[in-house]
Amino acid sequence: MHEELPLFPLNIVAYPGELVNLHIFEPRYKDLVRDCIETDMSFGIPTYNGKTMSYGTEVKILKVEKVYKDGRMDIRTRGNRIFQLIEFYDPWRDKSYAGGKVQFREIEMDVNPETQDKMLSLAKQLFDWLNMKEKFRLDKEFLSYSLAHKVGLKLDEELELLKISNEDERQRYLTNHLQNLLPALERAEQAKERIIM
């Protein structure tokens, strides 16, 4: 079944469970934020990758952190459901901002313990290599999503992960990425050492 959502297209991928801080400065998106607060409505962030918008995440405003004298706002939101964008309207209804028809996707949380252990082991190696052990704190409920922004995925790769509905498949995707990334980092480090010598 299709539903309609106000939309705020951005060049980012937001994931379920993720806290997303936004700086709102365009008049039409100030209107969107005000409407969402007044009606307790969520809005969607469809990922714009420079060419198309096909998927995104519904977010809920948790708090307006700051309102500036000129009306700009800093808001805190949390990712909720993933959607596929069916139709895009700009403007939407009688509003100044965009909106669209969306199809919400089911998120399957089935996990293979072996895949998960392998993914976490590789992620830990990456964080150790980067001397960022203190950043290795992950939301166990949304494990692949909480790791996705921390392992060097490009925007299109983050979007590809968003489209995968099964947690085990998402973890396999990230495991494959890390298996390719770590040897490349090691080769770069070896090259750097040879250059210094």
Side-chain angles (χ1 to χ4, degrees), residues 21-64:
N21 297 320
L22 298 172
H23 179 67
I24 310 297
F25 58 90
E26 286 187 55
R28 63 186 186 147
Y29 294 120
K30 293 179 199 172
D31 292 343
L32 181 150
V33 169
R34 278 191 289 271
D35 287 351
C36 286
I37 290 170
E38 287 172 10
T39 61
D40 195 33
M41 180 172 57
S42 56
F43 65 94
I45 299 179
T47 299
Y48 178 65
N49 66 359
K51 302 173 285 228
T52 59
M53 290 184 296
S54 58
Y55 280 78
T57 302
E58 172 197 40
V59 299
K60 184 81 174 166
I61 298 172
L62 300 179
K63 185 178 180 186
V64 177

Side-chain angles (χ1 to χ4, degrees), residues 77-137:
T77 70
R78 185 178 182 89
N80 190 7
R81 298 179 289 176
I82 294 169
F83 62 82
Q84 182 176 2
L85 184 60
I86 307 300
E87 290 184 47
F88 181 72
Y89 312 114
D90 191 10
W92 177 56
R93 298 182 179 172
D94 60 346
K95 305 298 183 181
S96 59
Y97 46 83
K101 193 177 289 185
V102 303
Q103 173 80 52
F104 287 107
R105 303 282 305 269
E106 291 294 323
I107 300 174
E108 299 169 23
M109 298 308 287
D110 297 336
V111 173
N112 180 324
E114 288 180 19
T115 303
Q116 182 166 295
D117 289 347
K118 188 170 189 179
M119 178 190 72
L120 289 173
S121 173
L122 290 166
K124 187 175 183 307
Q125 286 178 49
L126 174 65
F127 280 60
D128 287 347
W129 193 88
L130 296 171
N131 294 316
M132 295 175 66
K133 291 179 193 173
E134 73 281 355
K135 299 285 186 188
F136 197 69
R137 293 189 188 93

